[in-house]
Amino acid sequence: MRSWMRCARTRAPVGIVVATIGLIAASTAAARSQVSITRDRAGIPHITAANFRALGYGEGYVFAQDNLCTFAEQIVTVNGQRSQYFGPNGLAVNYSAGASNTNLQSDLYWRYVKASGLIQRELATPPPNGPLPQIRDLYTGFAQGYNAYLRSGKLRDPRCKGKPWVRPITLADLFLRGEQIVTEASAQQFIGGIVGAVPPGVTVTSGAAARSPVDLGALKAALADSSGAAEGSNGLGLGSRDTRSGHGMLLANPHFPWRGTERFWMAQLTVPGSYDVEGGTLEGFPLIGIGFNRHIAWTHTVSTSRRFVIYQLKLVPGDPMSYYVDGVPHRMTHITVSMRVGGRRVSHTFYLTRWGMVFNLPEAGYSWTTNTAYALYDAVAQAGPRAANEFLRMGQASSVKALLAVESRFLAIPTFNTIAADDRGDAYYGDVGAVPNVSQAKLTACLPAGIPTLVFDAARVVTLDGSRSSCAPGNDPGTPVKGIFNASHMPHLIRRDYVENSNDPFWLANPSAPLTGFSPIIGLTDEEQGLRTREGNQMVAARVAGTDGLGPAKFTIPTLQAMWQSDRSELAELVLPALVADCRAHGSAVASNGQTVDLTAACSALAGYDGTGHLGANGGWLFSEWYARMPASALWADSFDPSKPLTTPAVLNTSSPATLRALADAVLALRAHGLAPDASYGQVQHATRGRIKIPIPGCDTGCFNAIYAADGLSTDPSSEAPYGEVYTGSSLVMTTELRPSGPVSQGILTYSQATDPTSRWFANMTRLYSERRWVTLAYTPAELRRGRPLPPLVLTVP
């Protein structure tokens, strides 16, 4: 100590001190202007920087390496330029919203969004509704990094290299992308109807959609509540009571499109001491959307909550652009946009009311007449920055209770439920997001009679009387914006055993503690549950009891993975024996085209089917094709029993002629594609990567590992793919244990990291998934080094 004191008292020359200070300052500045990117052997980048702008720079750069062309096309979309580059009559497909519009319709809508000044208002608004400083820095850096890669000349993807529609991106572009993400369950569903809404008597020249006949069945299918919907997910949060170690565990299993920017992309993002999260995010959203940090892991499933309300307007006689509220006329405002299409200029006017934008919903019979119009109240419009703020704070949460507090503060989760677990052994479920504040009492008082009531009964789409101010959404205390519920009126629970959701309503997030008493706009109770919900809860019960043949009771990471990979078809377990017996009893059936089809080989194929989605499951594809053609209304002979929600209905309706007619149609479908009735999933269901077809396991008949492949029947625009090509289903899959010593996780990105066909990361994880293999998700630098990563890339941030 004395020696050190003597040295400390010795004065160094002033020049040396100044030089030393200068070197330290320069070194610190250099560190703050650099970002390190280390890819693991699966191609997942681990990105570390001293601040959020540098972090965003590295993320934008490495993301562009993998997916620049895919994202560049989305930038064309959200700037309303598709007609210019891809023609006005081509399709702009939103794979997640399950909607497609012409390029012209899409362009007009997005030009309206830009002309409305939305992005400028968002950027000028303080938090929580405007971006936090970290978000602004992250997004700024992301755009700079993406642009740096574009300038580097390293782009090889032939889909867009050298194309005129590829350009540098801006901060505004990323917030437009954010608006697209948050409105996928609201405005994005209705772009055709928004553009199609014109005053009666006005000639349509803007590519507005022609009016279609009323089709409540199509409306119900488009906005389905059931876990049978393709764009869904499974989430399973395990608490200390149900794991062998007594630690929290999570299965993240979103079912999202395999094409477009609604694919997930994986990364670890680290600003030491501030943010350290690993997982996946939708392309072009610079924060981790599903993942884990040191203490918690979380995932999302598509929620049944409606993020929108429709208002029926009573128009002023003789003036279809004015409407009454409490007997007082109000004039609509409007925004007109225009663009050049070919050699002509196209203009379109959007009309706005106090309730929202005027739109048509043809499937419901909602159109603008001389007496009535309809307006879309969108609770998540303008929530993009708030959602980004929320995901930042979610990634910083240290427990599921803290996570719930974040969700309760920002109330910006779009479209999703949240399922989570933490290292304290708690598991969490919540549907806590931006939902219009429409109570049961308000619905009863304000739902108009006639067609709006039929629409609600058929599809749970809420229409309210726009002629009364008392029908406005309510206001709860503590919300960041008016007109949405606060968390006390939304379903959530924290458990020590488990929570599970597979896209059915909140009711049975844990069957031993049903959630009830919430507004129907969030979801319904005492309703039939989807096949995945039923199977998931049954598998959990068997695993906790140790009766599933996977080893001692309760969960470990290996048994959680084995349960998910069992690929059991809940539907096959329920109906396959009866279907085989019915098939053999008749021997033949008349198909929908009137042809009599011999079912002998089909009966044998189904009798030999093992009831799974495994690659070698002979007869599985025939069973899937039968289910695709079997009318849901004719499937069951028994009824749903609310006292037995996980086991009813369960009896195949063999008395219906539709049962064997669907089987005959399925046989003909296989025959048309040169397939025998006993074709396996591995022979048909695939992902094309270059010239190679990679066989894909999983099924769409109640497999927890849901996989949807093109069968020529689906109306989902993303299903327009070659027969057997997978278009949606299990995407990002993670199994994570939250140990006191840190998280332990393995996962897979089923379709791989890159959409660039020249990338080494274009197919690698797809092959691993086909082989039922997992990737270790290294969280600490030591774990990353043990995995023998690629050499780091260090970038200097300008």
Side-chain angles (χ1 to χ4, degrees):
M1 176 65 73
R2 289 173 181 166
S3 175
W4 179 87
M5 296 275 295
R6 284 196 299 270
C7 290
R9 292 191 185 104
T10 302
R11 294 186 177 181
V14 173
I16 294 177
V17 172
V18 171
T20 301
I21 292 173
L23 288 171
I24 293 172
S27 176
T28 302
R32 292 187 62 82
S33 65
Q34 289 185 334
V35 55
S36 174
I37 305 165
T38 303
R39 286 196 192 253
D40 62 24
R41 290 288 170 175
I44 301 169
H46 299 254
I47 309 167
T48 302
N51 57 70
F52 280 91
R53 190 173 77 84
L55 181 71
Y57 188 93
E59 184 186 8
Y61 189 95
V62 72
F63 169 78
Q65 287 179 332
D66 294 343
N67 297 296
L68 188 144
C69 288
T70 303
F71 192 59
E73 183 177 342
Q74 199 66 273
I75 296 302
V76 173
T77 298
V78 298
N79 279 278
Q81 297 173 319
R82 294 191 63 86
S83 297
Q84 176 183 348
Y85 295 111
F86 310 126
N89 298 320
L91 289 182
V93 178
N94 186 316
Y95 292 110
S96 184
S100 61
N101 306 283
T102 67
N103 287 336
L104 180 56
Q105 290 172 329
S106 174
D107 287 347
L108 291 169
Y109 171 79
W110 283 107
R111 284 174 182 255
Y112 156 77
V113 173
K114 295 180 68 175
S116 73
L118 169 67
I119 303 304
Q120 290 76 13
R121 289 195 304 274
E122 288 180 342
L123 291 173
T125 301
N129 293 313
L132 289 163
Q134 299 96 319
I135 295 299
R136 191 183 293 268
D137 288 347
L138 182 72
Y139 279 45
T140 298
F142 187 98
Q144 292 173 334
Y146 176 100
N147 295 339
Y149 181 75
L150 180 61
R151 289 194 306 270
S152 72
K154 297 178 181 178
L155 177 64
R156 296 179 298 170
D157 191 335
R159 296 175 302 158
C160 75
K161 183 177 181 179
K163 297 294 175 66
W165 46 271
V166 179
R167 63 161 176 82
I169 64 173
T170 66
L171 183 64
D173 290 330
L174 290 176
F175 279 97
L176 282 168
R177 169 61 175 151
E179 177 69 9
Q180 183 183 47
I181 291 172
V182 298
T183 58
E184 281 178 350
S186 52
Q188 297 301 301
Q189 303 268 351
F190 308 116
I191 287 177
I194 291 170
V195 176
V198 294
V202 173
T203 302
V204 177
T205 60
S206 60
R211 290 174 181 168
S212 304
V214 176
D215 189 347
L216 295 182
L219 181 64
K220 182 178 181 179
L223 300 171
D225 283 351
S226 171
S227 62
E231 280 69 41
S233 301
N234 305 310
L236 174 59
L238 297 164
S240 59
R241 282 176 46 189
D242 285 354
T243 63
R244 292 282 301 281
S245 65
H247 307 139
M249 294 176 64
L250 184 82
L251 169 66
N253 180 207
H255 303 154
F256 258 53
W258 282 39
R259 293 186 289 171
T261 52
E262 309 320 303
R263 288 168 43 118
F264 283 92
W265 181 75
M266 297 187 72
Q268 181 178 9
L269 305 179
T270 304
V271 174
S274 181
Y275 186 81
D276 191 4
V277 187
E278 184 166 2
T281 184
L282 295 180
E283 294 188 8
F285 182 66
L287 290 144
I288 298 300
I290 291 176
F292 59 92
N293 64 20
R294 175 69 175 74
H295 301 287
I296 70 167
W298 78 93
T299 188
H300 297 293
T301 60
V302 173
S303 163
T304 58
S305 290
R306 297 293 185 222
R307 263 54 180 185
F308 63 91
V309 169
I310 299 171
Y311 277 92
Q312 185 183 67
L313 308 179
K314 181 181 178 181
L315 301 181
V316 174
D319 184 3
M321 285 173 281
S322 294
Y323 60 100
Y324 289 112
V325 179
D326 298 333
V328 177
H330 292 258
R331 185 76 175 170
M332 297 177 187
T333 59
H334 65 274
I335 293 177
T336 299
V337 300
S338 65
M339 55 186 288
R340 294 201 65 80
V341 178
R344 65 191 178 102
R345 179 160 292 280
V346 174
S347 298
H348 185 79
T349 300
F350 296 86
Y351 293 87
L352 309 174
T353 73
R354 66 182 291 170
W355 306 116
M357 188 183 302
V358 178
F359 85 123
N360 293 339
L361 187 58
E363 298 90 343
Y366 289 2
S367 60
W368 195 346
T369 69
T370 56
N371 300 314
T372 308
Y374 297 86
L376 181 67
Y377 176 87
D378 191 339
V380 290
Q382 306 180 44
R386 197 167 84 244
N389 296 340
E390 181 166 344
F391 276 99
L392 173 68
R393 296 304 189 215
M394 287 171 66
Q396 295 170 325
S398 59
S399 68
V400 297
K401 292 179 180 177
L403 180 65
L404 172 58
V406 170
E407 293 195 329
S408 301
R409 178 189 175 195
F410 289 97
L411 293 170
I413 292 289
T415 313
F416 305 127
N417 304 291
T418 301
I419 297 91
D422 65 23
D423 59 3
R424 303 179 188 187
D426 286 328
Y428 164 72
Y429 162 83
D431 189 352
V432 179
V435 178
N437 191 327
V438 178
S439 65
Q440 176 64 73
K442 181 153 293 188
L443 182 62
T444 300
C446 293
L447 176 63
I451 289 180
T453 298
L454 296 176
V455 167
F456 179 77
D457 291 342
R460 205 174 49 80
V461 171
V462 174
T463 306
L464 300 180
D465 183 355
S467 70
R468 293 185 282 155
S469 62
S470 60
C471 294
N475 293 311
D476 283 350
T479 60
V481 295
K482 294 181 178 180
I484 62 175
F485 286 118
N486 66 20
S488 69
H489 292 129
M490 305 193 74
H492 57 273
L493 77 166
I494 295 175
R495 304 278 303 180
R496 299 291 282 185
D497 50 359
Y498 81 95
V499 294
E500 193 276 342
N501 184 267
S502 295
N503 310 119
D504 280 305
F506 53 84
W507 178 36
L508 299 179
N510 184 293
S512 64
L515 292 165
T516 59
F518 299 95
S519 169
I521 199 171
I522 300 173
L524 303 177
T525 60
D526 295 327
E527 296 266 317
E528 182 179 331
Q529 301 295 286
L531 292 168
R532 285 186 288 110
T533 296
R534 294 167 63 173
E535 181 180 44
N537 282 283
Q538 291 169 13
M539 289 194 302
V540 169
R543 176 81 301 269
V544 172
T547 59
D548 57 3
L550 298 179
K554 300 188 178 182
F555 282 92
T556 62
I557 289 288
T559 57
L560 179 60
Q561 293 173 346
M563 183 192 80
W564 181 77
Q565 288 181 320
S566 65
D567 287 338
R568 290 168 40 187
S569 164
E570 175 72 5
L571 185 66
E573 292 181 5
L574 293 173
V575 308
L576 187 58
L579 180 59
V580 171
D582 193 32
C583 182
R584 285 175 167 167
H586 291 81
S588 65
V590 178
S592 296
N593 65 2
Q595 179 181 347
T596 298
V597 178
D598 183 349
L599 297 178
T600 304
C603 300
S604 297
L606 292 175
Y609 172 43
D610 67 5
T612 73
H614 292 161
L615 294 179
N618 294 102
W621 186 254
L622 175 65
F623 185 73
S624 174
E625 289 284 66
W626 166 76
Y627 182 47
R629 289 159 174 77
M630 181 66 188
S633 59
L635 181 59
W636 302 112
D638 57 336
S639 300
F640 170 70
D641 182 349
S643 69
K644 301 176 182 177
L646 299 179
T647 55
T648 60
V651 180
L652 179 65
N653 185 8
T654 55
S655 65
S656 171
T659 301
L660 291 186
R661 181 168 59 245
L663 184 57
D665 289 345
V667 169
L668 293 179
L670 266 69
R671 187 180 299 169
H673 290 89
L675 297 170
D678 65 349
S680 68
Y681 279 106
Q683 290 175 279
V684 185
Q685 193 166 266
H686 66 275
T688 302
R689 294 293 181 267
R691 298 180 180 179
I692 299 173
K693 292 183 177 180
I694 301 173
I696 299 298
C699 78
D700 62 358
T701 60
C703 280
F704 214 53
N705 175 22
I707 290 291
Y708 300 84
D711 56 14
L713 288 180
S714 176
T715 58
D716 187 323
S718 66
S719 69
E720 296 175 358
Y723 189 77
E725 183 81 24
V726 173
Y727 62 89
T728 194
S730 288
S731 49
L732 171 68
V733 187
M734 294 191 299
T735 55
T736 306
E737 183 174 5
L738 287 311
R739 299 177 180 175
S741 59
V744 175
S745 187
Q746 289 187 320
I748 197 75
L749 190 60
T750 56
Y751 36 63
S752 303
Q753 284 279 85
T755 52
D756 178 356
T758 70
S759 170
R760 66 184 293 184
W761 317 119
F762 180 58
N764 63 313
M765 279 199 271
T766 308
R767 295 191 186 95
L768 294 176
Y769 170 64
S770 178
E771 298 165 1
R772 299 166 58 89
R773 295 165 62 189
W774 296 84
V775 172
T776 296
L777 303 179
Y779 185 71
T780 67
E783 291 169 346
L784 183 59
R785 287 193 298 271
R786 284 198 294 271
R788 298 182 297 109
L790 276 64
L793 171 65
V794 179
L795 300 175
T796 298
V797 182

